[in-house]
Amino acid sequence: MITPIDQSFFNKPTLQLSKDLLGCRLVHLMDNIVISGRIVETEAYMGPVDRAAHSFQNRRTKRTEIMYHEAGLIYTYQMHTHTLINIVSGNIDCPEAVLIRAIEPIDGIDYMIQMRNNQPISNLTNGPGKLTKAMNITMSSYGQKSWEPPVFIAEGTKPHAISSGPRIGIENTGEARDYPWRFWITDNPFISRK
DNA sequence: AAGCTGATGGTCT
DNA sequence: GACCATCAGCTTG
């Protein structure tokens, strides 16, 4: 049995949380199988002041609603045909979030390979859409607590070093394009891009 | 009501 | 490198 992290873990500035999540485990406890991986890449989305964030200028819709609630809740959304998973951050009414972009598989690797159509291990979870597919994380996680099963964060192993740089896939967002709000474990082979 | 835009990934050339 | 799946939300009318 893997113990979920304490809810108080999420109570910190979003950029700090983005870094602290590196090395933690993302776990999906299903009926007959445990799926888990080590978080190796994240991105911070800083809400009202961040052109690249869905909640830029406090945009509040059915989709972004959950970001206006307590830190540690799960924000899932559909990107084209894929589901992406974020952890809500910031105080109530401060709509920030951390996108989980890549994990290193730990438990349930055979299951992940199946879910990913027999892709090699190096290509199972090295991207935000890939890891949700591999771990069978869907929109049903929207608004759920990430400090309780079935989908939750658990303690992991501290990264030896952390790198940072511009975020991925937000070329048309003005100044926000260059903010170094992507974080990854230095030299980890499972990050989404080099 | 219609058209555009993605925090993506697979497939094809 | 180009194309595309597919949908919430924004823009324009």
Side-chain angles (χ1 to χ4, degrees), chain A residues 5-72:
Chain A
I5 205 149
D6 192 86
Q7 184 184 357
S8 61
F9 171 80
F10 302 102
N11 239 344
K12 64 186 73 167
T14 297
L15 293 177
Q16 188 63 47
L17 181 62
S18 303
K19 288 181 274 192
D20 287 358
L21 279 169
L22 295 175
C24 287
R25 287 167 78 179
L26 177 63
V27 183
H28 189 182
L29 210 54
M30 297 197 291
D31 288 343
N32 297 310
I33 188 167
V34 179
I35 314 296
S36 84
R38 183 177 187 228
I39 298 172
V40 299
E41 181 180 351
T42 60
E43 280 180 3
Y45 285 87
M46 301 298 286
V49 299
D50 180 2
R51 280 192 82 80
H54 293 155
S55 50
F56 177 55
Q57 290 181 331
N58 279 306
R59 195 160 63 204
R60 187 164 185 163
T61 64
K62 184 170 184 168
R63 180 174 68 156
T64 63
E65 176 62 30
I66 202 63
M67 284 195 276
Y68 293 82
H69 293 253
E70 64 186 321

Side-chain angles (χ1 to χ4, degrees), chain A residues 83-105:
Chain A
T83 302
L84 274 59
I85 184 169
N86 301 251
I87 304 299
V88 172
S89 181
N91 296 322
I92 300 276
D93 288 329
C94 187
E96 301 175 346
V98 179
L99 170 67
I100 299 176
R101 284 197 57 90
I103 64 161
E104 175 175 341

